[in-house]
Amino acid sequence: MAAADALVAAGRGADGEQILRQGVARPAGEIGTAVLGLVAEGRRREVTALLDAYVRVRAPEEAARSAEPGPGTLVPLLLAAARGVSDERHWDLVHALRVAGFSA
């Protein structure tokens, strides 16, 4: 996240967002924790960029596991990102969240 911050501060927001998108290879729990940190800092643009890429490339079951660090915050954010991808991705994530024990 520090590299993304530095790029944004240098006026290279697109490059900073690209680094965030590359972070989707991290384990599900780390993604959830990182998103919570970004939310706490009020960094909505970064949250949106990260979750958009995340729900596009990860299986719905894995995306659902990323809600574990903070379901109350993460479930709605994940669902919004999935809805932005497609109706099918949204419903796949709703199902995966329910199977994982989260209210969707």
Side-chain angles (χ1 to χ4, degrees):
M1 299 300 164
D5 289 342
L7 287 167
V8 170
R12 298 182 59 187
D15 292 332
E17 287 181 15
Q18 182 178 1
I19 285 177
L20 287 173
R21 287 190 299 272
Q22 291 170 351
V24 300
R26 307 298 307 165
E30 287 183 26
I31 294 293
T33 300
V35 169
L36 289 174
L38 292 169
V39 167
E41 294 173 10
R43 298 173 59 186
R44 294 293 292 180
R45 184 173 53 85
E46 290 89 347
V47 167
T48 301
L50 179 59
L51 289 180
D52 177 69
Y54 187 66
V55 300
R56 286 178 187 277
V57 301
R58 299 300 271 274
E61 297 78 15
E62 194 163 1
R65 285 194 299 273
S66 69
E68 191 172 303
T73 299
L74 295 169
V75 167
L77 292 172
L78 286 162
L79 289 172
R83 196 174 297 114
V85 172
S86 71
D87 286 340
E88 180 180 359
R89 181 55 60 141
H90 175 255
W91 289 114
D92 288 347
L93 182 57
V94 166
H95 175 72
L97 286 164
R98 287 181 180 155
V99 169
F102 301 114
S103 297

